[in-house]
C-alpha cells in the first residue's frame, strides 16, 4: 500500500530485486521461482482438498483483529503489539521476533495497525478453517524422532541432541491452527466444502500453509517431472538451512500438512538451523530499516566474495552472533588484508 502497487506488481518488483541481489552475490539457482503461479495454486489446493477428504479440517468462528478506519481484517504482518509471553514490544501478528514463539494476532497486547498506528484496532468475529494438528500430532512426533535420528538434525530444532522433544508447543499438545485468512490476494480456498466450510467462501489460504508448498511448486515450474523428487522419499533426501524462527514451520507445521495429505511426500531429512545474526546490539528489521540488506551491501563497493566470507565466518551456529561495522572491518583487515578506504 505504501508503494502504491498492486500485490502482483509488488511480487514482480521484489522478485527482480531479489534475483538481482542473488546474481550479485554469485548465487546460482536451477530455477529462481515464485509462488504466484497457476501450478502453485493447483498444488496448494490439492493438499487442502486431501486434508478436507481426510477429515483433518474443522471450521471455527473466532475473533480476529480488525482495523476500524480501513474497514478490514488485519493480515498478520499488518498487526503488531506487545508479545504476551516475553513482553517484546513489536511482536507481529503471527510470530514474536523476541522469543520466536508463534502467535495468534488476538493475543497481542495493545495491538496496532502497522499501516497507521493511530487507527483503532478492535476484535471482530470471522469464520475460518483450521488444520487439526492435534489429531496429526502422534504421527508427526513419530516422524520427527525417526527423521531426527537418521538425518542428524541440528540441536536447536524441536528436538535436542539427546532426542528429547523440547518444543513447547509439542510438549503441551498441538492445537488446531487457522489456515485461512480474510484477504483477497493469495491462493483461494477451494470450493465444494459444503456446510462444513460455510462462511469461508471467497477467503484465501494462510501464507504459512501455501509458502512451503512453493518448494514443490517451483520445482514443478522447472520440470513436469517434479514428482520424481517430491514423491520419492526412498531415493531423495531434503536438506534445509534456515534461521531458528522458521524451524517450527519446517519441522512441525509443514510436515504435519504433508502427513495429513496422505501421499508419500519427500519430507525433511536434515535441517541446519542457525541462531540469530543481530545488528549493532539490536535486531535486524526490514520494516524499521535496521541492518544491512542485499541491495545496501551492493552499494558499499565491497566485493560480494568478501561479504560471503564474513557471513560464513560469523554464522550463528551455536548462539546468536552480532554484525557490527567495526568487527566487519577489523576482521577483514586482520584475516584478508582487505582495506576499507574512507
Amino acid at each position: 500500500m505504501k508503494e502504491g502497487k498492486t500485490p502482483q506488481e509488488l511480487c514482480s518488483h521484489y522478485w527482480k530485486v531479489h534475483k538481482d541481489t542473488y546474481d550479485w552475490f554469485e548465487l546460482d539457482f536451477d530455477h529462481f521461482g515464485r509462488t504466484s503461479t497457476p501450478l502453485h495454486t493447483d498444488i496448494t489446493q490439492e493438499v487442502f482438498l486431501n486434508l478436507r477428504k481426510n477429515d483433518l479440517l474443522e471450521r471455527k468462528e473466532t475473533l480476529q483483529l480488525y482495523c476500524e478506519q480501513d474497514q478490514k481484517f488485519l493480515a498478520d504482518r499488518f498487526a503488531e503489539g506487545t508479545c504476551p509471553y516475553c513482553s517484546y514490544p513489536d511482536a507481529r501478528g503471527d510470530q514474536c521476533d523476541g522469543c520466536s514463539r508463534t502467535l495468534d494476532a488476538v493475543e497481542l497486547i495493545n495491538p496496532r495497525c502497522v499501516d497507521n498506528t493511530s487507527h483503532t484496532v478492535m476484535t471482530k468475529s470471522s469464520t475460518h478453517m483450521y488444520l487439526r494438528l492435534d489429531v496429526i500430532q502422534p504421527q508427526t512426533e513419530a516422524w520427527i524422532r525417526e527423521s531426527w535420528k537418521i538425518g542428524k538434525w541440528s540441536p536447536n530444532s524441536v528436538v535436542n541432541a539427546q532426542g528429547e522433544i523440547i518444543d513447547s508447543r509439542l510438549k503441551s499438545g498441538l492445537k488446531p491452527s487457522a489456515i485461512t485468512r480474510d484477504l483477497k490476494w493469495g491462493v483461494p480456498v477451494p470450493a465444494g466444502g459444503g456446510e462444513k466450510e460455510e462462511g469461508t467462501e471467497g477467503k484465501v489460504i494462510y501464507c504459512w500453509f501455501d509458502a512451503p508448498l512453493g518448494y514443490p511448486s517451483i520445482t514443478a515450474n522447472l520440470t513436469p517431472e517434479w514428482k520424481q523428487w517430491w514423491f520419492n522419499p526412498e531415493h531423495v533426501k531434503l536438506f534445509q538451512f534456515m534461521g531458528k524462527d522458521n524451524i517450527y514451520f519446517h519441522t512441525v507445521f509443514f510436515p504435519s500438512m504433508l502427513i495429513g495429505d496422505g501421499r508419500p511426500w519427500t519430507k525433511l531429512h536434515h535441517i541446519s538451523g542457525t541462531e540469530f545474526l543481530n545488528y549493532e546490539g539490536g535486531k535486524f528489521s526490514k520494516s524499521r530499516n535496521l541492518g544491512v540488506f542485499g541491495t545496501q551491501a551492493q552499494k558499499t563497493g565491497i566485493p560480494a566474495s568478501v561479504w560471503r566470507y564474513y557471513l560464513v565466518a560469523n554464522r550463528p551456529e551455536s548462539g546468536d552472533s552480532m554484525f557490527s561495522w567495526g568487527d566487519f572491518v577489523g576482521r577483514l583487515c586482520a584475516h584478508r588484508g582487505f582495506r576499507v578506504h574512507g
Side-chain angles (χ1 to χ4, degrees):
M1 289 188 294
K2 292 179 180 178
E3 297 189 26
K5 294 182 173 70
T6 66
Q8 183 64 65
E9 289 170 340
L10 276 174
C11 286
S12 297
H13 172 75
Y14 283 103
W15 180 92
K16 186 177 186 309
V17 169
H18 293 158
K19 180 66 166 63
D20 290 345
T21 299
Y22 291 131
D23 288 346
W24 180 78
F25 268 105
E26 300 173 350
L27 300 176
D28 295 327
F29 298 84
D30 291 323
H31 176 66
F32 186 69
R34 58 200 299 175
T35 56
S36 52
T37 66
L39 275 174
H40 180 75
T41 295
D42 292 344
I43 291 170
T44 300
Q45 290 184 333
E46 189 171 10
V47 173
F48 188 99
L49 290 171
N50 284 335
L51 292 168
R52 175 192 287 170
K53 180 183 68 177
N54 295 337
D55 197 28
L56 290 171
L57 302 180
E58 65 180 356
R59 182 181 62 137
K60 288 186 177 184
E61 188 168 323
T62 58
L63 293 176
Q64 304 284 314
L65 292 184
Y66 185 85
C67 179
E68 202 169 54
Q69 281 78 7
D70 290 335
Q71 295 189 350
K72 66 180 182 182
F73 289 97
L74 290 176
D76 295 329
R77 295 303 176 99
F78 282 91
E80 287 185 347
T82 300
C83 176
Y85 300 101
C86 72
S87 299
Y88 181 67
D90 298 314
R92 302 189 308 269
D94 60 347
Q95 190 172 32
C96 174
D97 285 339
C99 62
S100 299
R101 187 154 182 160
T102 52
L103 300 172
D104 188 318
V106 295
E107 295 180 280
L108 293 173
I109 299 170
N110 299 321
R112 57 187 181 272
C113 175
V114 172
D115 185 44
N116 190 322
T117 57
S118 68
H119 285 182
T120 301
V121 175
M122 57 186 291
T123 56
K124 192 173 181 179
S125 180
S126 185
T127 302
H128 288 282
M129 297 308 299
Y130 282 67
L131 176 60
R132 300 174 69 187
L133 292 174
D134 52 330
V135 176
I136 307 170
Q137 181 168 350
Q139 293 173 269
T140 302
E141 284 199 21
W143 168 80
I144 286 173
R145 294 182 190 282
E146 180 182 10
S147 185
W148 160 82
K149 186 175 182 180
I150 296 172
K152 297 180 173 61
W153 292 8
S154 60
N156 65 342
S157 60
V158 295
V159 56
N160 64 18
Q162 289 72 47
E164 176 189 1
I165 288 179
I166 56 175
D167 182 81
S168 60
R169 289 151 291 202
L170 285 168
K171 291 174 71 173
S172 62
L174 296 177
K175 297 177 176 58
S177 181
I179 57 170
T180 58
R181 290 292 188 267
D182 291 289
L183 301 170
K184 297 299 181 185
W185 175 256
V187 176
V189 172
E195 291 184 2
K196 288 186 176 181
E197 296 182 21
E198 186 178 355
T200 63
E201 304 86 352
K203 301 191 179 188
V204 301
I205 293 174
Y206 174 43
C207 65
W208 264 115
F209 185 99
D210 89 87
L213 289 169
Y215 300 129
S217 80
I218 289 172
T219 310
N221 277 281
L222 170 65
T223 171
E225 305 301 323
W226 66 276
K227 289 184 179 180
Q228 291 185 16
W229 283 269
W230 285 100
F231 289 102
N232 194 359
E234 295 299 318
H235 299 99
V236 177
K237 303 301 180 188
L238 176 61
F239 290 73
Q240 295 189 306
F241 302 81
M242 67 195 63
K244 63 183 178 181
D245 53 330
N246 285 331
I247 286 176
Y248 166 80
F249 291 104
H250 288 80
T251 59
V252 179
F253 190 80
F254 182 39
S256 294
M257 289 165 46
L258 302 183
I259 290 168
D261 171 271
R263 290 176 289 173
W265 284 93
T266 299
K267 295 187 286 293
L268 177 68
H269 170 68
H270 172 78
I271 186 167
S272 176
T274 66
E275 301 296 310
F276 286 139
L277 174 64
N278 294 318
Y279 178 74
E280 297 284 7
K283 292 184 179 293
F284 274 84
S285 173
K286 283 187 178 180
S287 62
R288 296 168 186 83
N289 198 31
L290 296 175
V292 186
F293 303 101
T295 52
Q296 297 165 331
Q298 295 179 58
K299 295 175 182 178
T300 63
I302 300 170
S305 59
V306 173
W307 283 103
R308 290 201 308 273
Y309 158 76
Y310 180 79
L311 289 171
V312 171
N314 207 26
R315 188 173 188 259
E317 295 188 2
S318 58
D320 289 355
S321 62
M322 183 71 64
F323 175 92
S324 73
W325 284 105
D327 178 65
F328 179 62
V329 172
R331 187 179 298 198
L332 295 180
C333 289
H335 294 289
R336 292 182 57 107
F338 182 79
R339 292 185 179 181
V340 178
H341 298 280

